[in-house]
Amino acid sequence: AAWAIDTHMDMQRAIERFGNADWVFAAQKNGAEQMGTALGRPVSWLPLACDPELHRPVAETEKVFDIGFVGHPVGKRRCELLDALEMQFPNSWIGQAFHNEMAIMFSQFNVAFNCSVGGDVNMRVFEAQACGCPLVTDDIDDNGLHELFDVGEHLVCYRNSEELLAAVERLNSDEELRLRLADQGRRHVLSCHTYQHRM
């Protein structure tokens, strides 16, 4: 069995690496469809997920940043949005963090930011919420996001920079909304979207 998680980055590489497996899964819905067409046989959509032992709120950590992003500042759109966030919210954090350090960083954010690289429902979507951090993400409505989450109940979506900045502002100014979204998002990923559920 093989699970191709980066079909949005290099489909041909995924086909070459995993095409001979008896069972092929793809983390992106459109990637499963494209691989299935290329291979001439079914490829199942198996979304990414979280690991509750690793992706969890760190209780002793205080909220110190209005907005945060854990990941690589790559791609024109992502970098432009990060610049806009830093300009409007100087109390922000952008950088890389792994394993326990990632959970600590997400636990310090009022709001977590996500911008997909290629319309992918990436790990950050699941990991930030598992850490109890409300997530604002680009609206990946054509690749399964809305099948996995209820927008407005589990996370917030934006379609442009204006909607992004407004959403972050609203969440930072409304603690009740922010805490409710964080709780609902975390409960949902823990009940539906862990790696144990996937297996």
Side-chain angles (χ1 to χ4, degrees):
W3 189 13
I5 66 170
D6 287 331
T7 52
H8 61 289
M9 301 293 286
D10 192 340
M11 175 60 73
Q12 189 57 41
R13 178 176 177 266
I15 291 168
E16 291 170 2
R17 284 189 72 189
F18 306 123
N20 291 330
D22 296 318
W23 297 92
V24 182
F25 303 89
Q28 304 304 324
K29 185 178 182 182
N30 60 3
E33 294 166 358
Q34 293 166 17
M35 281 191 80
T37 299
L39 296 173
R41 60 191 174 95
V43 172
S44 300
W45 178 35
L46 187 67
L48 296 167
C50 66
D51 177 352
E53 291 185 15
L54 185 62
H55 309 120
R56 70 202 188 293
V58 179
E60 63 274 15
T61 303
E62 295 182 8
K63 299 291 185 185
V64 294
F65 298 104
D66 295 331
I67 180 78
F69 173 74
V70 177
H72 302 282
V74 297
K76 184 174 186 285
R77 181 166 182 251
R78 180 185 284 180
C79 289
E80 288 175 352
L81 293 174
L82 286 169
D83 288 344
L85 285 169
E86 279 190 300
M87 187 172 295
Q88 182 153 335
F89 303 97
N91 185 32
S92 60
W93 188 93
I94 297 168
Q96 297 178 36
F98 304 96
H99 309 298
N100 291 333
E101 185 184 339
M102 180 198 304
I104 292 170
M105 293 316 303
F106 278 130
S107 297
Q108 292 181 14
F109 303 157
N110 278 346
V111 181
F113 165 71
N114 182 54
C115 177
S116 63
V117 172
D120 53 308
V121 182
N122 55 38
M123 292 178 180
R124 193 178 303 104
V125 170
F126 305 94
E127 294 169 354
Q129 293 184 87
C131 290
C133 188
L135 180 72
V136 177
T137 185
D138 49 331
D139 194 3
I140 314 163
D141 62 345
D142 60 347
N143 205 13
L145 181 74
H146 293 234
E147 296 173 52
L148 302 172
F149 299 97
D150 291 330
V151 176
E153 181 178 342
H154 303 134
L155 46 72
V156 174
C157 288
Y158 65 87
R159 289 167 293 185
N160 53 50
S161 60
E162 291 77 16
E163 289 184 1
L164 168 62
L165 297 174
V168 175
E169 182 66 45
R170 185 172 71 251
L171 286 168
N172 269 289
S173 61
D174 189 338
E175 183 179 18
E176 182 180 343
L177 172 62
R178 189 171 68 245
L179 293 176
R180 184 171 70 248
L181 193 70
D183 180 63
Q184 290 170 172
R186 176 168 162 72
R187 287 175 184 269
H188 180 65
V189 294
L190 294 183
S191 65
C192 301
H193 301 302
T194 69
Y195 286 109
Q196 186 168 357
H197 289 110
R198 298 295 184 254
M199 295 306 104

